[in-house]
Amino acid sequence: MEVLFLLWSFVLFSGVTALPVDIDDTDVIIVDAGENSIDGDDFAVDVSSLGPEAFGLPQNESGDTVAEWTESSLMNPEEMGGYAEGDILMPQLGRNGMRETTSRWSNGIIPYVIDTTYTKEQRDNIMRAIADYHRLTCLRFVPHSGQTDYILIKNTNTGCWSSVGRIGGRQEVNLQAPGCVSKKGTILHELLHAIGFLHEQSRPERDDFVTIQYGNIKTGAENNFKKADAKRTYDYGVSYDYNSVMHYSEFAFSKNTQKTIVPKMKDMKLGQREGLSRGDVKKVNNMYSCKKQEPTTGWVGQVWQNFMGSKTRRSVMI
């Protein structure tokens, strides 16, 4: 009883902002498309804010930079690329090469193929990320079996990158090993781009929550910190999320090891890559009109959600 009381007191009164729940998510269960609790048809994902720099070809230079990333690096590996916002790469279409919209994945079904060059440990980490989406959302990643639209998870020396939303046909998500597959959160991050989401700090209201230190940003990378147009974005009912797996780290694109993003809320850490935040999950489920209830796995998750989930602006990882 004393142990339970201590644990109960810890959950209620500690200042913990992110409390992962210990669960077994290593197995991916393939669910038939008819079992998805998703309403509605496809709709457009606005990518007009990305600009012409988002359209191009993979770069070995970005891969060489990401190859230098280690666990002790100040920034995340996807923040080291030379693509739009570091890791967004849209294929060119026709002569002008640009598009303003992509699509949501039909019925939340995402066919996939995984490159055979990954080690077992690296592939298992990818599958753990996929398992998180199955456990927490209505999205279903299914092995590719002839579908026209699908993602190919590749391991080439071009860094960490993805397109945003479903672009039609085969689309690539590059997760260069080992850097881009070292943390489950980096995999979740790139897959969230493919699902249809942009970076958290590009939200139009971000200046109310963080301060961008432009004097510390590498020359030429300033455009990575531009904000999306408020008239062309939608927050899916989720307020600004410091703990989103889609948020830049505090040292993203720093030229001098000084912070480029400073949170206005005291003691907040940015750029976690351990797992989806509750805000991430809610946004995915709202975008895809998923009827799945917000998860409260385990007694710790239940207590935290009941007592803290709706009373704090800090989004808890799950």
Side-chain angles (χ1 to χ4, degrees), residues 9-42:
S9 299
F10 171 80
V11 171
L12 288 181
F13 302 112
S14 72
V16 175
T17 62
L19 186 60
V21 178
D22 185 17
I23 60 171
D24 182 7
D25 61 358
T26 57
D27 294 325
V28 174
I29 301 173
I30 303 304
V31 180
D32 182 79
E35 296 183 23
N36 265 13
S37 300
I38 289 181
D39 291 332
D41 298 322
D42 302 348

Side-chain angles (χ1 to χ4, degrees), residues 32 83 87 108 128 180 203 218 238-239 255 269 271 278:
D32 182 79
Y83 309 108
D87 67 337
R128 290 187 184 97
C180 305
R203 289 174 61 146
K218 290 190 299 185
V238 179
S239 61
K255 66 181 180 182
K269 297 294 183 182
R278 291 197 187 280

Side-chain angles (χ1 to χ4, degrees), residues 98-124:
M98 292 185 61
R99 65 198 305 168
E100 292 197 341
T101 62
T102 57
S103 301
R104 185 178 71 165
W105 290 87
S106 181
N107 296 317
I109 305 298
I110 306 176
Y112 71 92
V113 175
I114 299 178
D115 197 321
T116 58
T117 62
Y118 291 109
T119 66
K120 182 181 184 304
E121 180 181 2
Q122 292 163 352
R123 181 183 175 88
D124 286 348

